[in-house]
Amino acid sequence: MKRISPLLLVLLILGFLFATYNLLTMIIHYKTSSSENWDLFDPIIQMPENLKEGVDSNSKYHVALTATDAPYSQWQCRIMYYWYKKVKDIPGSDMGEFTRILHSGKPDNLMEEIPTVVVDPLPEGLDRGYIVLNRPWAFVQWLEKAIIYEEYILMAEPDHVFVNPLPNLAHGKHPAGFPFFYIKPAEHEHIIRKYYPKEKGPVTDIDPIGNSPVIIRKSVLEEISPTWMNISLRMKDDPATDKAFGWVLEMYAYAVASALHGVRHILRKDFMLQPPWDLEVGKTFIIHYTYGCDYNLKGELTYGKIGEWRFDKRSYLSGPPPRNLSLPPPGVPESVVRLVMMVNEATANIPNWIL
């Protein structure tokens, strides 16, 4: 058996340490930027000047999310739809109807449980393994074929749960979005200018958002969506852009497409919270459980190391989590406890949870 070269071993260790440093830097930045007290800081961090004295729209919005027929996507959609039904008619909610946009090209076994429209995936190989690239194409097809009665649309994701009644945060033609700390167009101007030329305006006109969560007027989304799809494909086809943006490429594409159409978003940091970094639910509207939650039995976060207690959606890639997950140990933030309790309530009440 050949021995590993000491030089190769050193390079591997240095590569791992560099990747870990980048991840932890991003997490620490997020933790710092998201630990503000909601009672002391205005949750609206960007709003066009001419709207600041106005009021929010009270029009209903249609809840739409894109999904696949994979078990991992299905169980998240079932939990999301359960909580949609729970909060839809609570005072303060402007929710209308609901659609799961299934971009697998064929019906699945949830068609009778969740209102669903089937659309085609991108041609084979075009997404290059980046499944999210199907999202803008799915919205283009859905907007063309569906009858949507609401004036507005909430673009949501399977790993969203509604923790408080969500009003329509948009205002007229100005959508409402969530500001992501890691979407930084100004830091990537040399890349952004490939898709947003100087004559269109400064890079700061591009909002630090993705397409979800966003509440947007249907007519505005119909204008943006084809551009969003085309920019996504162009970005994925460009090696430098693909390398720079990685797993958030499609988010940048939506932000650029919006700016190309002159659309600015009202930025609402109370739109969504993301455990374990956001500690309290407060008056936020959506829990987004994209990050793993790892803790020791003292209630201390052990991010980057599998905890003695954990909840991570990626632990259930091949099938749904069991009913009655164990609650976190004492000392774990309220946001994580609330998330697990909401997952448990949904799985306890959804018939035939294990399909």
Side-chain angles (χ1 to χ4, degrees):
M1 180 177 177
K2 291 185 177 180
R3 296 180 61 185
I4 298 176
S5 163
L7 177 60
L8 177 60
L9 185 60
V10 169
L11 290 174
L12 287 172
I13 293 171
L14 288 174
F16 174 77
L17 290 174
F18 180 74
T20 303
Y21 171 80
N22 284 338
L23 175 63
L24 291 177
T25 299
M26 185 177 77
I27 290 167
I28 291 168
H29 182 115
Y30 182 78
K31 185 175 180 181
T32 302
S33 64
S34 64
S35 60
E36 298 173 341
N37 185 321
W38 296 113
D39 294 328
L40 298 178
F41 291 85
D42 187 346
I44 303 176
I45 66 173
Q46 174 180 292
M47 177 177 281
E49 286 295 329
N50 62 327
L51 298 183
K52 289 187 176 179
E53 300 302 321
V55 296
D56 291 340
S57 169
N58 60 2
S59 298
K60 294 287 186 181
Y61 58 82
H62 193 105
V63 180
L65 73 158
T66 56
T68 73
D69 58 3
Y72 178 64
S73 177
Q74 287 184 323
W75 69 257
Q76 293 175 57
C77 289
R78 299 179 81 192
I79 291 174
M80 197 270 199
Y81 184 57
Y82 172 87
W83 283 104
Y84 155 80
K85 291 188 294 182
K86 286 276 289 188
V87 304
K88 177 180 182 290
D89 296 320
I90 295 177
S93 167
D94 286 325
M95 290 178 173
E97 298 305 310
F98 184 102
T99 299
R100 179 181 64 133
I101 308 171
L102 183 64
H103 55 76
S104 299
K106 60 184 185 300
D108 66 358
N109 57 351
L110 296 181
M111 301 296 291
E112 295 184 5
E113 179 178 334
I114 304 175
T116 300
V117 170
V118 179
V119 297
D120 293 326
L122 289 168
E124 186 174 357
L126 196 58
D127 65 11
R128 297 177 184 156
Y130 180 54
I131 192 70
V132 184
L133 212 59
N134 286 276
R135 183 176 293 158
W137 172 223
F139 270 106
V140 168
Q141 295 175 82
W142 176 63
L143 290 165
E144 288 179 348
K145 70 192 299 186
I147 299 175
I148 305 162
Y149 295 102
E150 296 86 354
E151 185 181 359
Y152 290 84
I153 293 168
L154 164 64
M155 292 188 283
E157 296 183 12
D159 60 353
H160 289 175
V161 291
F162 297 104
V163 70
N164 280 309
L166 176 60
N168 187 347
L169 303 176
H171 188 110
K173 66 179 182 179
H174 295 280
F178 177 79
F180 289 92
F181 78 92
Y182 49 79
I183 302 298
K184 300 178 178 180
E187 292 188 7
H188 299 281
E189 183 166 3
H190 64 295
I191 296 288
I192 292 291
R193 286 304 185 192
K194 296 180 180 182
Y195 315 96
Y196 190 74
K198 288 186 177 180
E199 58 266 27
K200 296 298 293 185
V203 172
T204 51
D205 285 348
I206 300 172
D207 294 326
I209 55 168
N211 86 291
S212 177
V214 163
I215 299 177
I216 186 169
R217 182 175 273 176
K218 179 174 62 177
S219 59
V220 176
L221 184 58
E222 287 171 337
E223 294 176 5
I224 291 175
S225 291
T227 308
W228 172 27
M229 180 188 71
N230 291 330
I231 294 290
S232 296
L233 293 172
R234 286 178 56 200
M235 285 184 170
K236 190 63 180 175
D237 198 45
D238 180 70
T241 305
D242 193 20
K243 181 179 179 180
F245 294 160
W247 62 277
V248 296
L249 180 148
E250 171 267 341
M251 298 172 70
Y252 272 101
Y254 174 79
V256 170
S258 298
L260 286 170
H261 287 271
V263 175
R264 299 302 305 269
H265 292 68
I266 301 165
L267 301 183
R268 299 283 303 235
K269 58 188 176 184
D270 62 343
F271 208 153
M272 186 170 74
L273 69 147
Q274 302 185 98
W277 311 115
D278 296 311
L279 306 182
E280 297 179 359
V281 172
K283 297 178 181 180
T284 52
F285 302 108
I286 293 171
I287 293 179
H288 182 210
Y289 55 97
T290 189
Y291 296 102
C293 301
D294 287 274
Y295 293 86
N296 62 28
L297 297 183
K298 296 179 182 179
E300 299 167 335
L301 184 65
T302 63
Y303 201 88
K305 176 183 177 183
I306 293 178
E308 296 171 279
W309 180 93
R310 77 182 324 231
F311 175 74
D312 187 340
K313 66 177 184 177
R314 295 165 191 83
S315 299
Y316 308 103
L317 293 174
S318 59
R323 285 173 164 159
N324 196 28
L325 293 169
S326 64
L327 292 178
V332 170
E334 179 227 359
S335 62
V336 179
V337 177
R338 185 80 170 272
L339 169 61
V340 177
M341 291 177 67
M342 293 180 76
V343 169
N344 280 346
E345 178 180 331
T347 61
N349 288 283
I350 297 173
N352 305 311
W353 174 242
I354 307 296
L355 292 175

Short mmCIF file of all heavy atoms in Angstrom, two decimals, residues 11 39 45 51-52 55-56 72 78 85 89 97-98 104 141 159 168 182 190 202-203 216 222 260 272 318 323 325 345:
data_model
loop_
_atom_site.label_atom_id
_atom_site.label_comp_id
_atom_site.label_asym_id
_atom_site.label_seq_id
_atom_site.Cartn_x
_atom_site.Cartn_y
_atom_site.Cartn_z
N LEU A 11 -1.13 19.90 2.04
CA LEU A 11 -2.01 20.68 1.17
C LEU A 11 -3.47 20.40 1.46
O LEU A 11 -4.31 21.32 1.46
CB LEU A 11 -1.68 20.38 -0.30
CG LEU A 11 -0.34 20.92 -0.81
CD1 LEU A 11 -0.07 20.42 -2.23
CD2 LEU A 11 -0.31 22.44 -0.78
N ASP A 39 -37.17 45.31 18.92
CA ASP A 39 -37.89 46.43 19.49
C ASP A 39 -37.12 47.73 19.34
O ASP A 39 -37.68 48.82 19.47
CB ASP A 39 -38.17 46.16 20.98
CG ASP A 39 -39.12 45.00 21.17
OD1 ASP A 39 -39.98 44.82 20.29
OD2 ASP A 39 -39.01 44.28 22.18
N ILE A 45 -35.51 48.14 6.31
CA ILE A 45 -34.19 48.75 6.13
C ILE A 45 -34.03 49.41 4.77
O ILE A 45 -33.05 50.08 4.53
CB ILE A 45 -33.06 47.73 6.38
CG1 ILE A 45 -33.07 46.64 5.32
CG2 ILE A 45 -33.16 47.14 7.76
CD1 ILE A 45 -31.88 45.71 5.43
N LEU A 51 -42.61 56.19 -0.78
CA LEU A 51 -43.55 55.28 -0.13
C LEU A 51 -43.51 55.39 1.39
O LEU A 51 -44.34 54.80 2.07
CB LEU A 51 -43.24 53.83 -0.52
CG LEU A 51 -43.36 53.48 -2.00
CD1 LEU A 51 -43.10 51.99 -2.18
CD2 LEU A 51 -44.74 53.83 -2.53
N LYS A 52 -42.57 56.12 1.93
CA LYS A 52 -42.34 56.08 3.37
C LYS A 52 -43.51 56.63 4.18
O LYS A 52 -43.68 56.29 5.34
CB LYS A 52 -41.05 56.83 3.73
CG LYS A 52 -39.82 56.06 3.27
CD LYS A 52 -38.53 56.68 3.75
CE LYS A 52 -37.34 55.82 3.34
NZ LYS A 52 -36.06 56.39 3.77
N VAL A 55 -49.02 53.45 3.11
CA VAL A 55 -49.41 52.26 3.87
C VAL A 55 -49.17 51.04 3.00
O VAL A 55 -49.08 51.10 1.78
CB VAL A 55 -50.89 52.31 4.29
CG1 VAL A 55 -51.13 53.47 5.24
CG2 VAL A 55 -51.81 52.46 3.07
N ASP A 56 -49.08 49.89 3.66
CA ASP A 56 -48.86 48.65 2.93
C ASP A 56 -50.10 48.28 2.13
O ASP A 56 -51.22 48.69 2.42
CB ASP A 56 -48.54 47.51 3.91
CG ASP A 56 -47.17 47.69 4.56
OD1 ASP A 56 -46.36 48.43 3.99
OD2 ASP A 56 -46.95 47.09 5.62
N TYR A 72 -37.08 14.23 -0.13
CA TYR A 72 -36.52 15.34 0.64
C TYR A 72 -37.35 16.61 0.43
O TYR A 72 -37.62 17.36 1.39
CB TYR A 72 -35.08 15.57 0.20
CG TYR A 72 -34.34 16.71 0.83
CD1 TYR A 72 -34.07 16.73 2.20
CD2 TYR A 72 -33.85 17.76 0.05
CE1 TYR A 72 -33.36 17.77 2.77
CE2 TYR A 72 -33.13 18.80 0.62
CZ TYR A 72 -32.89 18.80 1.98
OH TYR A 72 -32.18 19.83 2.54
N ARG A 78 -44.98 19.23 2.65
CA ARG A 78 -46.14 18.84 3.45
C ARG A 78 -46.20 19.64 4.75
O ARG A 78 -47.28 20.08 5.17
CB ARG A 78 -46.09 17.34 3.75
CG ARG A 78 -46.13 16.47 2.49
CD ARG A 78 -46.06 15.00 2.85
NE ARG A 78 -47.37 14.49 3.26
CZ ARG A 78 -47.55 13.31 3.84
NH1 ARG A 78 -46.51 12.52 4.11
NH2 ARG A 78 -48.77 12.92 4.17
N LYS A 85 -52.03 26.37 5.99
CA LYS A 85 -53.46 26.22 6.31
C LYS A 85 -53.77 26.71 7.72
O LYS A 85 -54.86 27.25 7.97
CB LYS A 85 -53.88 24.76 6.15
CG LYS A 85 -53.89 24.27 4.71
CD LYS A 85 -54.48 22.89 4.56
CE LYS A 85 -53.64 21.83 5.22
NZ LYS A 85 -54.20 20.47 5.03
N ASP A 89 -56.12 32.02 7.64
CA ASP A 89 -57.30 32.81 7.96
C ASP A 89 -57.22 33.49 9.32
O ASP A 89 -58.22 34.00 9.83
CB ASP A 89 -58.55 31.92 7.90
CG ASP A 89 -58.79 31.38 6.49
OD1 ASP A 89 -58.59 32.13 5.53
OD2 ASP A 89 -59.15 30.19 6.35
N GLU A 97 -54.73 31.77 -2.17
CA GLU A 97 -54.59 30.35 -2.45
C GLU A 97 -53.12 29.93 -2.50
O GLU A 97 -52.22 30.75 -2.39
CB GLU A 97 -55.29 30.00 -3.77
CG GLU A 97 -56.80 30.27 -3.73
CD GLU A 97 -57.49 29.57 -2.59
OE1 GLU A 97 -57.28 28.34 -2.44
OE2 GLU A 97 -58.21 30.23 -1.82
N PHE A 98 -52.91 28.63 -2.69
CA PHE A 98 -51.58 28.03 -2.58
C PHE A 98 -51.31 27.14 -3.79
O PHE A 98 -52.20 26.42 -4.24
CB PHE A 98 -51.53 27.18 -1.30
CG PHE A 98 -50.19 26.56 -0.98
CD1 PHE A 98 -49.38 27.10 -0.01
CD2 PHE A 98 -49.75 25.40 -1.63
CE1 PHE A 98 -48.15 26.53 0.33
CE2 PHE A 98 -48.54 24.83 -1.32
CZ PHE A 98 -47.73 25.39 -0.34
N SER A 104 -40.90 18.54 -11.91
CA SER A 104 -40.38 17.22 -12.24
C SER A 104 -40.95 16.68 -13.55
O SER A 104 -40.55 15.62 -14.02
CB SER A 104 -40.68 16.23 -11.10
OG SER A 104 -40.06 16.64 -9.90
N GLN A 141 -43.20 29.11 -16.65
CA GLN A 141 -44.25 28.21 -17.15
C GLN A 141 -45.55 28.36 -16.37
O GLN A 141 -46.65 28.40 -16.94
CB GLN A 141 -43.78 26.77 -17.07
CG GLN A 141 -42.60 26.45 -17.98
CD GLN A 141 -42.12 25.03 -17.74
OE1 GLN A 141 -42.68 24.07 -18.28
NE2 GLN A 141 -41.08 24.88 -16.92
N ASP A 159 -38.72 24.72 2.72
CA ASP A 159 -38.23 24.76 4.11
C ASP A 159 -38.60 26.05 4.82
O ASP A 159 -37.89 26.52 5.70
CB ASP A 159 -36.73 24.51 4.17
CG ASP A 159 -35.91 25.54 3.39
OD1 ASP A 159 -36.51 26.37 2.69
OD2 ASP A 159 -34.67 25.49 3.48
N ASN A 168 -49.56 41.36 3.52
CA ASN A 168 -48.92 41.72 2.25
C ASN A 168 -47.96 42.86 2.53
O ASN A 168 -48.37 44.00 2.78
CB ASN A 168 -49.97 42.13 1.21
CG ASN A 168 -49.36 42.35 -0.16
OD1 ASN A 168 -48.14 42.43 -0.31
ND2 ASN A 168 -50.21 42.43 -1.17
N TYR A 182 -25.18 37.80 2.61
CA TYR A 182 -24.14 37.29 1.72
C TYR A 182 -24.38 37.64 0.26
O TYR A 182 -23.58 37.26 -0.60
CB TYR A 182 -23.98 35.77 1.88
CG TYR A 182 -25.27 34.99 1.84
CD1 TYR A 182 -25.90 34.69 0.63
CD2 TYR A 182 -25.86 34.52 3.01
CE1 TYR A 182 -27.07 33.97 0.59
CE2 TYR A 182 -27.03 33.78 2.98
CZ TYR A 182 -27.64 33.52 1.77
OH TYR A 182 -28.81 32.80 1.74
N HIS A 190 -17.15 43.49 -10.97
CA HIS A 190 -16.53 43.03 -12.21
C HIS A 190 -17.32 41.88 -12.83
O HIS A 190 -17.32 41.69 -14.05
CB HIS A 190 -15.08 42.61 -11.97
CG HIS A 190 -14.93 41.44 -11.06
ND1 HIS A 190 -15.28 41.47 -9.72
CD2 HIS A 190 -14.47 40.18 -11.30
CE1 HIS A 190 -15.03 40.30 -9.18
NE2 HIS A 190 -14.55 39.50 -10.10
N PRO A 202 -25.80 52.43 -11.23
CA PRO A 202 -24.80 51.89 -10.30
C PRO A 202 -25.18 50.50 -9.81
O PRO A 202 -26.36 50.14 -9.77
CB PRO A 202 -24.83 52.91 -9.15
CG PRO A 202 -26.18 53.53 -9.21
CD PRO A 202 -26.54 53.58 -10.67
N VAL A 203 -24.18 49.74 -9.43
CA VAL A 203 -24.42 48.39 -8.93
C VAL A 203 -25.23 48.42 -7.64
O VAL A 203 -25.93 47.45 -7.32
CB VAL A 203 -23.07 47.66 -8.72
CG1 VAL A 203 -23.24 46.33 -8.02
CG2 VAL A 203 -22.38 47.44 -10.06
N ILE A 216 -44.64 39.97 -4.45
CA ILE A 216 -44.49 40.79 -5.65
C ILE A 216 -45.79 40.81 -6.44
O ILE A 216 -46.54 39.82 -6.47
CB ILE A 216 -43.33 40.23 -6.51
CG1 ILE A 216 -43.03 41.12 -7.71
CG2 ILE A 216 -43.59 38.79 -6.94
CD1 ILE A 216 -41.74 40.74 -8.44
N GLU A 222 -44.34 38.68 -13.92
CA GLU A 222 -44.44 38.23 -15.31
C GLU A 222 -43.40 38.92 -16.19
O GLU A 222 -42.89 38.32 -17.14
CB GLU A 222 -45.86 38.51 -15.83
CG GLU A 222 -46.91 37.56 -15.24
CD GLU A 222 -48.33 37.98 -15.60
OE1 GLU A 222 -48.55 39.17 -15.91
OE2 GLU A 222 -49.22 37.11 -15.55
N LEU A 260 -32.63 45.21 -13.72
CA LEU A 260 -32.73 45.48 -15.15
C LEU A 260 -34.10 46.01 -15.53
O LEU A 260 -34.26 46.74 -16.51
CB LEU A 260 -32.41 44.21 -15.95
CG LEU A 260 -30.93 43.80 -16.00
CD1 LEU A 260 -30.78 42.41 -16.61
CD2 LEU A 260 -30.10 44.82 -16.79
N MET A 272 -38.24 37.09 7.79
CA MET A 272 -37.80 35.72 8.00
C MET A 272 -36.73 35.66 9.07
O MET A 272 -35.96 36.60 9.24
CB MET A 272 -37.26 35.19 6.66
CG MET A 272 -36.88 33.73 6.64
SD MET A 272 -36.53 33.20 4.94
CE MET A 272 -34.92 33.97 4.65
N SER A 318 -33.49 11.03 2.30
CA SER A 318 -34.17 9.93 1.62
C SER A 318 -35.58 9.68 2.12
O SER A 318 -36.29 8.82 1.59
CB SER A 318 -33.35 8.64 1.77
OG SER A 318 -33.18 8.31 3.14
N ARG A 323 -42.06 11.10 13.53
CA ARG A 323 -42.89 11.91 14.40
C ARG A 323 -42.25 12.04 15.78
O ARG A 323 -41.44 11.21 16.18
CB ARG A 323 -44.28 11.28 14.52
CG ARG A 323 -45.14 11.48 13.27
CD ARG A 323 -46.42 10.72 13.34
NE ARG A 323 -47.38 11.21 12.34
CZ ARG A 323 -48.41 10.51 11.89
NH1 ARG A 323 -48.62 9.29 12.35
NH2 ARG A 323 -49.22 11.04 11.00
N LEU A 325 -40.08 14.25 17.30
CA LEU A 325 -38.65 14.47 17.48
C LEU A 325 -38.38 14.96 18.91
O LEU A 325 -39.21 15.67 19.51
CB LEU A 325 -38.16 15.54 16.50
CG LEU A 325 -38.18 15.18 15.00
CD1 LEU A 325 -37.92 16.44 14.18
CD2 LEU A 325 -37.15 14.12 14.69
N GLU A 345 -45.74 19.19 15.56
CA GLU A 345 -47.19 19.37 15.43
C GLU A 345 -47.66 18.98 14.02
O GLU A 345 -48.68 18.30 13.85
CB GLU A 345 -47.60 20.81 15.72
CG GLU A 345 -49.11 21.02 15.54
CD GLU A 345 -49.58 22.42 15.82
OE1 GLU A 345 -48.96 23.12 16.63
OE2 GLU A 345 -50.61 22.84 15.21
#
